[in-house]
Amino acid sequence: MTEFSIDPWDPGYAAALTSEALAERGSTSAELELGVEAEAGDWAPVTPSGSAPAALLVADGVRRIDARVWVHDTPVPVPGIAASFAAGIVRCGSGGAELAEIEVRRALISASPGTPEVKTRYATFHPAQATDSSLEALTLALQRQVTQLELELSVRHRRQSTDLLLVDGPLRGRGHLAGTVGYIKTHHISYLPAPQSAVVGALAPGQRTPVFLMGTTWRRHAWYVRLPTTSSAPWSGIARCEAGADMSSEEVVRLADAITLALPPLAGVPYKDPRAPQNLVPIGGLEKLLRHHLGDPQLMYRALRSAESVQGSR
């Protein structure tokens, strides 16, 4: 009889491991150095040594498009978006999780050099530039704004604290921050060759792969870890972690062990989160809080329409 397994992620989200990632095993163009911690032929699941860090900072950001807009500074109006975004940091320790900081910003994004600042009753949308007028470019410009805000908060807290910092998403632009790890929940590409990819599938909860170096458009150390899960779906509970490329092998191995020990107690649970276990409890809680701080979307939309009306009456 042909067996099957259910992917534990809610079908409303993209799968944790896409079919493209399964098909592309071993075919990625990424430059890999597999021998950072163990020679390629000696790869096996690693059970971390030591103890979990006393505290872990977790950083994340959210974004929302409040309205599609047109910028009228040329004979032909230029499309854009009015967007709200926020970033925050939570500190997780033995006493639970506590909010360290939240910051909310608004932006009016278009490819026009004359993109205006828009003041509404509730918030000011500051101008930001996109490379062109496509929705993809506008969305990418918004994501850059979110990443920049996350970076500012991360830099601030790295100066104030020696606690390890976990950033939800790739580490890009933050690899220079000490004790900082990027955390990737979904896998669109399987970067490892087949023999090493098989080690990922063989991980038990709480184990990780050996550390390797990966280069695409930028270089970083990486390793895979499996969080607690009861599913037999391919790569269920698997997340990829990233750390700066300039770290020594000894430093990055210690960091990989510390993060792997810290993650299992923070794993999401299915009855609370449709992206469990990879969507960590503090990440899910922070995202919910950040969206609340963005304010009511309908109220913001009406405020933008009111600002448009005031402008038109001048």
Side-chain angles (χ1 to χ4, degrees), residues 199-215:
V199 174
V200 179
L203 294 176
Q207 290 185 322
R208 64 171 178 85
T209 66
V211 175
F212 58 99
L213 261 171
M214 180 168 66

Side-chain angles (χ1 to χ4, degrees), residues 1 38 48 54-55 63 66 82 96 106 137 224 231 240 244-245 247 249 257 270 307:
M1 172 186 267
R63 64 189 190 185
D66 293 308
R106 323 276 176 179
Y224 289 90
S231 172
R240 188 177 80 248
M247 300 179 70
S249 57
D257 275 353

Side-chain angles (χ1 to χ4, degrees), residues 21 34 36 48 58 109 112 129 147 178 227 230 239-240 280 299 302 313:
L34 299 174
V36 172
V58 178
I109 303 171
S112 168
Q129 195 80 24
T147 302
L227 298 170
T230 56
R240 188 177 80 248
L280 305 176
L299 194 65
R302 289 197 296 271
S313 65

Side-chain angles (χ1 to χ4, degrees), residues 58-224:
V58 178
D60 197 8
V62 298
R63 64 189 190 185
R64 183 185 72 205
I65 295 177
D66 293 308
R68 302 290 181 88
V69 303
W70 293 92
V71 177
H72 299 269
D73 74 324
T74 61
V76 178
V78 177
I81 55 175
S84 299
F85 56 97
I89 292 184
V90 209
R91 187 178 188 274
C92 306
S94 57
E98 59 181 6
L99 182 64
E101 185 173 1
I102 277 183
E103 188 166 340
V104 178
R105 293 182 185 173
R106 323 276 176 179
L108 190 75
I109 303 171
S110 86
S112 168
T115 303
E117 177 180 88
V118 175
K119 294 183 178 180
T120 75
R121 179 180 178 182
Y122 302 107
T124 298
F125 288 76
H126 298 280
Q129 195 80 24
T131 54
D132 61 59
S133 296
S134 67
L135 181 59
E136 181 181 6
L138 295 170
T139 304
L140 184 59
L142 171 56
Q143 184 54 46
R144 282 197 297 267
Q145 296 280 315
V146 179
T147 302
Q148 178 60 33
L149 180 54
E150 289 179 7
L151 176 59
E152 291 175 20
L153 265 63
S154 299
V155 169
R156 201 146 59 226
H157 282 269
R158 281 267 52 86
R159 289 172 180 163
Q160 299 170 358
S161 170
T162 57
D163 294 333
L164 297 183
L165 173 64
L166 188 78
V167 176
D168 187 33
L171 193 62
R172 181 191 297 274
R174 291 166 283 200
H176 63 288
L177 298 177
T180 302
V181 172
Y183 179 75
I184 295 89
K185 301 187 286 285
T186 57
H187 311 285
H188 301 288
I189 298 174
S190 177
Y191 292 101
L192 296 172
Q196 288 73 37
S197 187
V199 174
V200 179
L203 294 176
Q207 290 185 322
R208 64 171 178 85
T209 66
V211 175
F212 58 99
L213 261 171
M214 180 168 66
T216 49
T217 55
W218 56 295
R219 286 172 60 80
R220 66 275 200 197
H221 285 99
W223 63 94
Y224 289 90

